Amino acid sequence: MATVTLRRKELERALKLAAKVTPRRCNLPVLGNARLTVNGAVRLAVTDLEYGAVLDLVRAGGEGNADMLLPVGRLLAQVRAGRGETVTLEPGDGWTARLDGTAAVVGMDPAEFPTLPSGPEGELVGGIDGAELVEALRAVEFAVSGEVVRYALTGVLMEFEAGKKGRACLVASDGKRLARWRLRGVYVARDARLIVPTKALQAVVDLVGRPDKGGIVKVYVEVPKVEAKEGEEKKASDMEPTRIHFALPQAGVFSRVVEGNFPDHEAVTPADLPGSWTMDRKELAEAIKTVLPATTDKTRAVRFTLRASGVELFAKSADVGEATATVRAQGTPDELAVVLNPEYVLDYLAGLPRGVERVVMHAKAKDCAVVWRGAAGHEYVQMPLTVNL
């Protein structure tokens, strides 16, 4: 009888990630399971058909080969409830598996599980420093749209530009704001413009956080096969990628690419913003939280009056009242007032990496978009409101 022994903490971490991938409600029960294959190496795989993850685990003991398809939620609960540094799994009758010889989990036929990639497939796009990818996603994901109507904005744009310098960036937007991070620790093998589901990128971030994390996350894309008509010449480079693969040490994530046209993020960023005001990040956040109670769901607006010596925040609502707060600042002499959604500013401040103490607000006129800058390579474009305060 085959057995496999795994480190309990490592298996628990893998199952926690698997729980994020598997759909909570699905007409296909098999998708609520993780496939655990043991053939010398130990591999755990999960998918919801649109994206998935494959993790290689370290075998701590046991012998023989095995193939098990087990429910993620119940298996995770049993692993958490157990004691000891290791977990021993033993396949039983009727697709069951026994844990440590004391508990049994009923699974399904592994043959019913979808076939997943055994490794990265397609063309290499480039590589991203894993630690920076974590920072970049946290700094832009808040701006992703939740409106399915604007489907192209429900993911994060990953843009790669090959050349001597090799540039890449992550961009998110909901049409009212736009967050962009220009990656520094990156190499680029080919041009690519991909809209990636946030869920897939979050899985990559979770994997980068593992103890065995590597320095570089490699990115691959799958391009459909070219079927040229008679008299036509088509190149693979002319076809849009349909899937993206992220390759990490001992792990991989694959996902469909979101279809649609993402806005030209460079075009929506104002180029000429003569006014700039530098503020303390924490002081600004506290000031916004002071005036926020004077706003309502209908009037979520705060007037920023920008002066050379400071910035005054003012909020007013007929049903609630009004509030004022002041933030010290170093800015241009000309006074300017612009009305912004305060929660959008707080989202930006919360997403900045630790260690960023000061932010700069660039503005031109009350009806022109403002640009926030704090972390190197990070920009946040916010549209003003037309509310009169």
mmCIF file of all heavy atoms in Angstrom, residues 137 140 144 152-160 168-173 178-181 183 192-198 201 257-258 260-266:
data_model
loop_
_atom_site.group_PDB
_atom_site.id
_atom_site.type_symbol
_atom_site.label_atom_id
_atom_site.label_comp_id
_atom_site.label_asym_id
_atom_site.label_seq_id
_atom_site.Cartn_x
_atom_site.Cartn_y
_atom_site.Cartn_z
ATOM 1 N N LEU A 137 1.433 44.826 -6.992
ATOM 2 C CA LEU A 137 0.026 44.431 -7.001
ATOM 3 C C LEU A 137 -0.733 45.100 -5.871
ATOM 4 O O LEU A 137 -1.861 45.585 -6.069
ATOM 5 C CB LEU A 137 -0.091 42.908 -6.893
ATOM 6 C CG LEU A 137 -1.526 42.380 -6.916
ATOM 7 C CD1 LEU A 137 -2.225 42.760 -8.219
ATOM 8 C CD2 LEU A 137 -1.569 40.880 -6.713
ATOM 9 N N VAL A 140 -1.708 48.684 -6.737
ATOM 10 C CA VAL A 140 -2.613 49.013 -7.844
ATOM 11 C C VAL A 140 -3.948 48.287 -7.778
ATOM 12 O O VAL A 140 -4.933 48.743 -8.370
ATOM 13 C CB VAL A 140 -1.964 48.729 -9.217
ATOM 14 C CG1 VAL A 140 -0.645 49.471 -9.357
ATOM 15 C CG2 VAL A 140 -1.781 47.243 -9.472
ATOM 16 N N VAL A 144 -8.920 48.306 -9.396
ATOM 17 C CA VAL A 144 -9.568 47.400 -10.345
ATOM 18 C C VAL A 144 -11.080 47.583 -10.272
ATOM 19 O O VAL A 144 -11.662 47.711 -9.190
ATOM 20 C CB VAL A 144 -9.202 45.932 -10.039
ATOM 21 C CG1 VAL A 144 -10.022 44.982 -10.894
ATOM 22 C CG2 VAL A 144 -7.715 45.703 -10.271
ATOM 23 N N ALA A 152 -13.097 44.694 -19.464
ATOM 24 C CA ALA A 152 -11.651 44.835 -19.626
ATOM 25 C C ALA A 152 -10.993 45.464 -18.406
ATOM 26 O O ALA A 152 -9.786 45.329 -18.212
ATOM 27 C CB ALA A 152 -11.337 45.661 -20.870
ATOM 28 N N LEU A 153 -11.787 46.146 -17.569
ATOM 29 C CA LEU A 153 -11.234 46.813 -16.388
ATOM 30 C C LEU A 153 -11.326 45.940 -15.137
ATOM 31 O O LEU A 153 -10.948 46.389 -14.057
ATOM 32 C CB LEU A 153 -11.956 48.140 -16.141
ATOM 33 C CG LEU A 153 -11.881 49.176 -17.268
ATOM 34 C CD1 LEU A 153 -12.591 50.463 -16.857
ATOM 35 C CD2 LEU A 153 -10.428 49.475 -17.646
ATOM 36 N N THR A 154 -11.822 44.708 -15.284
ATOM 37 C CA THR A 154 -11.929 43.820 -14.122
ATOM 38 C C THR A 154 -10.640 43.070 -13.829
ATOM 39 O O THR A 154 -10.594 42.251 -12.909
ATOM 40 C CB THR A 154 -13.075 42.800 -14.323
ATOM 41 O OG1 THR A 154 -12.783 42.000 -15.482
ATOM 42 C CG2 THR A 154 -14.405 43.507 -14.510
ATOM 43 N N GLY A 155 -9.610 43.324 -14.619
ATOM 44 C CA GLY A 155 -8.305 42.706 -14.396
ATOM 45 C C GLY A 155 -7.214 43.752 -14.315
ATOM 46 O O GLY A 155 -7.472 44.966 -14.408
ATOM 47 N N VAL A 156 -5.992 43.301 -14.128
ATOM 48 C CA VAL A 156 -4.819 44.183 -14.053
ATOM 49 C C VAL A 156 -4.051 44.071 -15.366
ATOM 50 O O VAL A 156 -3.737 42.966 -15.818
ATOM 51 C CB VAL A 156 -3.915 43.795 -12.870
ATOM 52 C CG1 VAL A 156 -2.646 44.651 -12.868
ATOM 53 C CG2 VAL A 156 -4.657 43.963 -11.553
ATOM 54 N N LEU A 157 -3.753 45.210 -15.968
ATOM 55 C CA LEU A 157 -2.975 45.217 -17.202
ATOM 56 C C LEU A 157 -1.503 44.981 -16.883
ATOM 57 O O LEU A 157 -0.914 45.666 -16.046
ATOM 58 C CB LEU A 157 -3.131 46.560 -17.917
ATOM 59 C CG LEU A 157 -2.259 46.759 -19.165
ATOM 60 C CD1 LEU A 157 -2.717 45.840 -20.287
ATOM 61 C CD2 LEU A 157 -2.291 48.221 -19.621
ATOM 62 N N MET A 158 -0.912 43.983 -17.545
ATOM 63 C CA MET A 158 0.532 43.761 -17.479
ATOM 64 C C MET A 158 1.085 44.103 -18.860
ATOM 65 O O MET A 158 0.735 43.460 -19.851
ATOM 66 C CB MET A 158 0.859 42.314 -17.115
ATOM 67 C CG MET A 158 0.385 41.898 -15.749
ATOM 68 S SD MET A 158 1.026 40.242 -15.285
ATOM 69 C CE MET A 158 2.752 40.643 -14.969
ATOM 70 N N GLU A 159 1.934 45.104 -18.913
ATOM 71 C CA GLU A 159 2.459 45.571 -20.194
ATOM 72 C C GLU A 159 3.974 45.401 -20.211
ATOM 73 O O GLU A 159 4.672 45.880 -19.318
ATOM 74 C CB GLU A 159 2.081 47.042 -20.401
ATOM 75 C CG GLU A 159 2.317 47.558 -21.799
ATOM 76 C CD GLU A 159 1.748 48.965 -21.985
ATOM 77 O OE1 GLU A 159 2.291 49.897 -21.361
ATOM 78 O OE2 GLU A 159 0.772 49.110 -22.720
ATOM 79 N N PHE A 160 4.463 44.695 -21.232
ATOM 80 C CA PHE A 160 5.896 44.466 -21.395
ATOM 81 C C PHE A 160 6.347 45.099 -22.699
ATOM 82 O O PHE A 160 5.721 44.902 -23.742
ATOM 83 C CB PHE A 160 6.201 42.966 -21.429
ATOM 84 C CG PHE A 160 5.900 42.243 -20.154
ATOM 85 C CD1 PHE A 160 4.613 41.798 -19.876
ATOM 86 C CD2 PHE A 160 6.906 41.995 -19.231
ATOM 87 C CE1 PHE A 160 4.324 41.125 -18.708
ATOM 88 C CE2 PHE A 160 6.633 41.323 -18.053
ATOM 89 C CZ PHE A 160 5.338 40.885 -17.788
ATOM 90 N N ALA A 168 8.444 47.387 -18.163
ATOM 91 C CA ALA A 168 7.195 46.694 -17.876
ATOM 92 C C ALA A 168 6.456 47.446 -16.778
ATOM 93 O O ALA A 168 7.065 48.172 -15.978
ATOM 94 C CB ALA A 168 7.445 45.253 -17.447
ATOM 95 N N CYS A 169 5.134 47.297 -16.740
ATOM 96 C CA CYS A 169 4.350 47.967 -15.714
ATOM 97 C C CYS A 169 3.060 47.194 -15.431
ATOM 98 O O CYS A 169 2.613 46.374 -16.240
ATOM 99 C CB CYS A 169 4.026 49.409 -16.102
ATOM 100 S SG CYS A 169 2.967 49.570 -17.560
ATOM 101 N N LEU A 170 2.468 47.475 -14.271
ATOM 102 C CA LEU A 170 1.165 46.971 -13.878
ATOM 103 C C LEU A 170 0.229 48.164 -13.772
ATOM 104 O O LEU A 170 0.600 49.196 -13.185
ATOM 105 C CB LEU A 170 1.225 46.259 -12.522
ATOM 106 C CG LEU A 170 1.361 44.727 -12.529
ATOM 107 C CD1 LEU A 170 2.662 44.321 -13.206
ATOM 108 C CD2 LEU A 170 1.302 44.191 -11.105
ATOM 109 N N VAL A 171 -0.982 48.041 -14.332
ATOM 110 C CA VAL A 171 -1.933 49.155 -14.337
ATOM 111 C C VAL A 171 -3.317 48.631 -13.979
ATOM 112 O O VAL A 171 -3.733 47.568 -14.450
ATOM 113 C CB VAL A 171 -1.996 49.853 -15.709
ATOM 114 C CG1 VAL A 171 -2.842 51.118 -15.627
ATOM 115 C CG2 VAL A 171 -0.606 50.171 -16.237
ATOM 116 N N ALA A 172 -4.037 49.397 -13.160
ATOM 117 C CA ALA A 172 -5.428 49.067 -12.838
ATOM 118 C C ALA A 172 -6.253 50.352 -12.885
ATOM 119 O O ALA A 172 -5.765 51.433 -12.527
ATOM 120 C CB ALA A 172 -5.532 48.443 -11.448
ATOM 121 N N SER A 173 -7.498 50.233 -13.337
ATOM 122 C CA SER A 173 -8.356 51.403 -13.446
ATOM 123 C C SER A 173 -9.821 50.990 -13.402
ATOM 124 O O SER A 173 -10.186 49.908 -13.881
ATOM 125 C CB SER A 173 -8.078 52.169 -14.749
ATOM 126 O OG SER A 173 -8.976 53.244 -14.913
ATOM 127 N N LEU A 178 -6.824 55.683 -11.768
ATOM 128 C CA LEU A 178 -5.887 54.773 -12.416
ATOM 129 C C LEU A 178 -4.617 54.690 -11.589
ATOM 130 O O LEU A 178 -4.038 55.720 -11.223
ATOM 131 C CB LEU A 178 -5.576 55.257 -13.837
ATOM 132 C CG LEU A 178 -4.647 54.397 -14.693
ATOM 133 C CD1 LEU A 178 -5.061 54.472 -16.157
ATOM 134 C CD2 LEU A 178 -3.189 54.836 -14.560
ATOM 135 N N ALA A 179 -4.208 53.464 -11.272
ATOM 136 C CA ALA A 179 -2.977 53.244 -10.508
ATOM 137 C C ALA A 179 -1.986 52.487 -11.385
ATOM 138 O O ALA A 179 -2.343 51.498 -12.026
ATOM 139 C CB ALA A 179 -3.268 52.458 -9.231
ATOM 140 N N ARG A 180 -0.746 52.949 -11.410
ATOM 141 C CA ARG A 180 0.278 52.348 -12.270
ATOM 142 C C ARG A 180 1.579 52.189 -11.494
ATOM 143 O O ARG A 180 1.993 53.072 -10.749
ATOM 144 C CB ARG A 180 0.510 53.229 -13.499
ATOM 145 C CG ARG A 180 1.668 52.767 -14.399
ATOM 146 C CD ARG A 180 1.764 53.628 -15.645
ATOM 147 N NE ARG A 180 1.836 55.035 -15.325
ATOM 148 C CZ ARG A 180 1.084 55.984 -15.913
ATOM 149 N NH1 ARG A 180 0.224 55.650 -16.852
ATOM 150 N NH2 ARG A 180 1.207 57.242 -15.557
ATOM 151 N N TRP A 181 2.212 51.034 -11.711
ATOM 152 C CA TRP A 181 3.528 50.768 -11.099
ATOM 153 C C TRP A 181 4.478 50.357 -12.220
ATOM 154 O O TRP A 181 4.275 49.354 -12.881
ATOM 155 C CB TRP A 181 3.423 49.652 -10.065
ATOM 156 C CG TRP A 181 4.714 49.406 -9.331
ATOM 157 C CD1 TRP A 181 5.858 48.846 -9.839
ATOM 158 C CD2 TRP A 181 5.010 49.689 -7.951
ATOM 159 N NE1 TRP A 181 6.833 48.767 -8.879
ATOM 160 C CE2 TRP A 181 6.338 49.276 -7.710
ATOM 161 C CE3 TRP A 181 4.278 50.241 -6.908
ATOM 162 C CZ2 TRP A 181 6.939 49.399 -6.457
ATOM 163 C CZ3 TRP A 181 4.878 50.370 -5.666
ATOM 164 C CH2 TRP A 181 6.184 49.952 -5.445
ATOM 165 N N LEU A 183 7.671 48.705 -13.199
ATOM 166 C CA LEU A 183 8.547 47.719 -12.582
ATOM 167 C C LEU A 183 10.015 48.031 -12.841
ATOM 168 O O LEU A 183 10.393 48.418 -13.942
ATOM 169 C CB LEU A 183 8.209 46.326 -13.117
ATOM 170 C CG LEU A 183 6.796 45.823 -12.761
ATOM 171 C CD1 LEU A 183 6.383 44.714 -13.705
ATOM 172 C CD2 LEU A 183 6.752 45.347 -11.315
ATOM 173 N N ALA A 192 4.363 42.503 -24.959
ATOM 174 C CA ALA A 192 3.100 41.855 -24.599
ATOM 175 C C ALA A 192 2.239 42.858 -23.848
ATOM 176 O O ALA A 192 2.740 43.700 -23.101
ATOM 177 C CB ALA A 192 3.332 40.615 -23.752
ATOM 178 N N ARG A 193 0.936 42.747 -24.065
ATOM 179 C CA ARG A 193 -0.041 43.591 -23.374
ATOM 180 C C ARG A 193 -1.178 42.672 -22.953
ATOM 181 O O ARG A 193 -1.990 42.249 -23.772
ATOM 182 C CB ARG A 193 -0.527 44.708 -24.298
ATOM 183 C CG ARG A 193 -1.466 45.710 -23.655
ATOM 184 C CD ARG A 193 -1.845 46.792 -24.670
ATOM 185 N NE ARG A 193 -2.916 47.646 -24.196
ATOM 186 C CZ ARG A 193 -2.750 48.736 -23.466
ATOM 187 N NH1 ARG A 193 -1.527 49.110 -23.123
ATOM 188 N NH2 ARG A 193 -3.778 49.474 -23.069
ATOM 189 N N LEU A 194 -1.239 42.352 -21.665
ATOM 190 C CA LEU A 194 -2.127 41.312 -21.158
ATOM 191 C C LEU A 194 -2.966 41.839 -20.010
ATOM 192 O O LEU A 194 -2.454 42.504 -19.109
ATOM 193 C CB LEU A 194 -1.305 40.116 -20.671
ATOM 194 C CG LEU A 194 -0.204 39.607 -21.606
ATOM 195 C CD1 LEU A 194 0.838 38.846 -20.819
ATOM 196 C CD2 LEU A 194 -0.800 38.747 -22.696
ATOM 197 N N ILE A 195 -4.261 41.521 -20.025
ATOM 198 C CA ILE A 195 -5.137 41.847 -18.905
ATOM 199 C C ILE A 195 -5.332 40.575 -18.107
ATOM 200 O O ILE A 195 -5.909 39.604 -18.596
ATOM 201 C CB ILE A 195 -6.488 42.404 -19.378
ATOM 202 C CG1 ILE A 195 -6.286 43.591 -20.326
ATOM 203 C CG2 ILE A 195 -7.326 42.836 -18.172
ATOM 204 C CD1 ILE A 195 -7.577 44.108 -20.938
ATOM 205 N N VAL A 196 -4.820 40.564 -16.884
ATOM 206 C CA VAL A 196 -4.786 39.348 -16.069
ATOM 207 C C VAL A 196 -5.812 39.454 -14.939
ATOM 208 O O VAL A 196 -5.878 40.488 -14.262
ATOM 209 C CB VAL A 196 -3.380 39.133 -15.471
ATOM 210 C CG1 VAL A 196 -3.303 37.810 -14.729
ATOM 211 C CG2 VAL A 196 -2.318 39.200 -16.571
ATOM 212 N N PRO A 197 -6.623 38.414 -14.706
ATOM 213 C CA PRO A 197 -7.542 38.442 -13.560
ATOM 214 C C PRO A 197 -6.793 38.673 -12.258
ATOM 215 O O PRO A 197 -5.747 38.074 -12.023
ATOM 216 C CB PRO A 197 -8.185 37.048 -13.597
ATOM 217 C CG PRO A 197 -8.060 36.611 -15.019
ATOM 218 C CD PRO A 197 -6.756 37.180 -15.497
ATOM 219 N N THR A 198 -7.328 39.539 -11.425
ATOM 220 C CA THR A 198 -6.674 39.844 -10.154
ATOM 221 C C THR A 198 -6.498 38.594 -9.305
ATOM 222 O O THR A 198 -5.501 38.442 -8.586
ATOM 223 C CB THR A 198 -7.501 40.881 -9.375
ATOM 224 O OG1 THR A 198 -7.795 41.990 -10.226
ATOM 225 C CG2 THR A 198 -6.748 41.391 -8.166
ATOM 226 N N LEU A 201 -3.259 36.849 -10.195
ATOM 227 C CA LEU A 201 -2.085 37.564 -9.693
ATOM 228 C C LEU A 201 -1.959 37.420 -8.178
ATOM 229 O O LEU A 201 -0.853 37.315 -7.644
ATOM 230 C CB LEU A 201 -2.170 39.044 -10.072
ATOM 231 C CG LEU A 201 -1.751 39.398 -11.501
ATOM 232 C CD1 LEU A 201 -2.079 40.844 -11.813
ATOM 233 C CD2 LEU A 201 -0.266 39.144 -11.698
ATOM 234 N N VAL A 257 -6.615 34.987 -20.190
ATOM 235 C CA VAL A 257 -6.395 36.423 -20.296
ATOM 236 C C VAL A 257 -7.748 37.094 -20.504
ATOM 237 O O VAL A 257 -8.573 36.615 -21.283
ATOM 238 C CB VAL A 257 -5.447 36.743 -21.468
ATOM 239 C CG1 VAL A 257 -5.322 38.248 -21.672
ATOM 240 C CG2 VAL A 257 -4.074 36.140 -21.214
ATOM 241 N N VAL A 258 -7.995 38.177 -19.797
ATOM 242 C CA VAL A 258 -9.256 38.910 -19.933
ATOM 243 C C VAL A 258 -9.313 39.561 -21.314
ATOM 244 O O VAL A 258 -8.361 40.223 -21.736
ATOM 245 C CB VAL A 258 -9.388 39.998 -18.842
ATOM 246 C CG1 VAL A 258 -10.687 40.793 -19.026
ATOM 247 C CG2 VAL A 258 -9.344 39.359 -17.456
ATOM 248 N N GLY A 260 -10.704 42.190 -24.208
ATOM 249 C CA GLY A 260 -11.157 43.573 -24.237
ATOM 250 C C GLY A 260 -10.001 44.533 -24.414
ATOM 251 O O GLY A 260 -8.833 44.144 -24.411
ATOM 252 N N ASN A 261 -10.332 45.801 -24.562
ATOM 253 C CA ASN A 261 -9.333 46.849 -24.757
ATOM 254 C C ASN A 261 -9.183 47.674 -23.486
ATOM 255 O O ASN A 261 -10.141 48.306 -23.028
ATOM 256 C CB ASN A 261 -9.731 47.759 -25.925
ATOM 257 C CG ASN A 261 -9.755 47.020 -27.247
ATOM 258 O OD1 ASN A 261 -8.858 46.234 -27.537
ATOM 259 N ND2 ASN A 261 -10.785 47.247 -28.047
ATOM 260 N N PHE A 262 -7.991 47.652 -22.941
ATOM 261 C CA PHE A 262 -7.693 48.464 -21.757
ATOM 262 C C PHE A 262 -7.350 49.874 -22.231
ATOM 263 O O PHE A 262 -6.695 50.058 -23.253
ATOM 264 C CB PHE A 262 -6.516 47.862 -20.998
ATOM 265 C CG PHE A 262 -6.427 48.296 -19.563
ATOM 266 C CD1 PHE A 262 -7.035 47.548 -18.566
ATOM 267 C CD2 PHE A 262 -5.753 49.448 -19.205
ATOM 268 C CE1 PHE A 262 -6.957 47.949 -17.232
ATOM 269 C CE2 PHE A 262 -5.664 49.854 -17.892
ATOM 270 C CZ PHE A 262 -6.271 49.094 -16.891
ATOM 271 N N PRO A 263 -7.794 50.917 -21.500
ATOM 272 C CA PRO A 263 -7.504 52.300 -21.917
ATOM 273 C C PRO A 263 -6.009 52.577 -22.032
ATOM 274 O O PRO A 263 -5.190 51.918 -21.380
ATOM 275 C CB PRO A 263 -8.130 53.134 -20.797
ATOM 276 C CG PRO A 263 -9.119 52.243 -20.141
ATOM 277 C CD PRO A 263 -8.593 50.853 -20.265
ATOM 278 N N ASP A 264 -5.652 53.544 -22.846
ATOM 279 C CA ASP A 264 -4.266 53.990 -22.981
ATOM 280 C C ASP A 264 -3.896 54.738 -21.708
ATOM 281 O O ASP A 264 -4.250 55.905 -21.535
ATOM 282 C CB ASP A 264 -4.126 54.895 -24.210
ATOM 283 C CG ASP A 264 -2.680 55.298 -24.469
ATOM 284 O OD1 ASP A 264 -1.829 55.129 -23.569
ATOM 285 O OD2 ASP A 264 -2.402 55.813 -25.575
ATOM 286 N N HIS A 265 -3.207 54.076 -20.809
ATOM 287 C CA HIS A 265 -2.931 54.667 -19.498
ATOM 288 C C HIS A 265 -1.978 55.850 -19.583
ATOM 289 O O HIS A 265 -1.993 56.735 -18.722
ATOM 290 C CB HIS A 265 -2.377 53.608 -18.539
ATOM 291 C CG HIS A 265 -1.164 52.888 -19.032
ATOM 292 N ND1 HIS A 265 0.105 53.300 -18.740
ATOM 293 C CD2 HIS A 265 -1.032 51.775 -19.792
ATOM 294 C CE1 HIS A 265 0.976 52.479 -19.294
ATOM 295 N NE2 HIS A 265 0.314 51.541 -19.949
ATOM 296 N N GLU A 266 -1.140 55.890 -20.604
ATOM 297 C CA GLU A 266 -0.236 57.031 -20.758
ATOM 298 C C GLU A 266 -1.022 58.277 -21.184
ATOM 299 O O GLU A 266 -0.744 59.390 -20.734
ATOM 300 C CB GLU A 266 0.839 56.723 -21.800
ATOM 301 C CG GLU A 266 1.748 55.544 -21.447
ATOM 302 C CD GLU A 266 2.718 55.867 -20.321
ATOM 303 O OE1 GLU A 266 2.698 57.006 -19.811
ATOM 304 O OE2 GLU A 266 3.490 54.963 -19.946
#
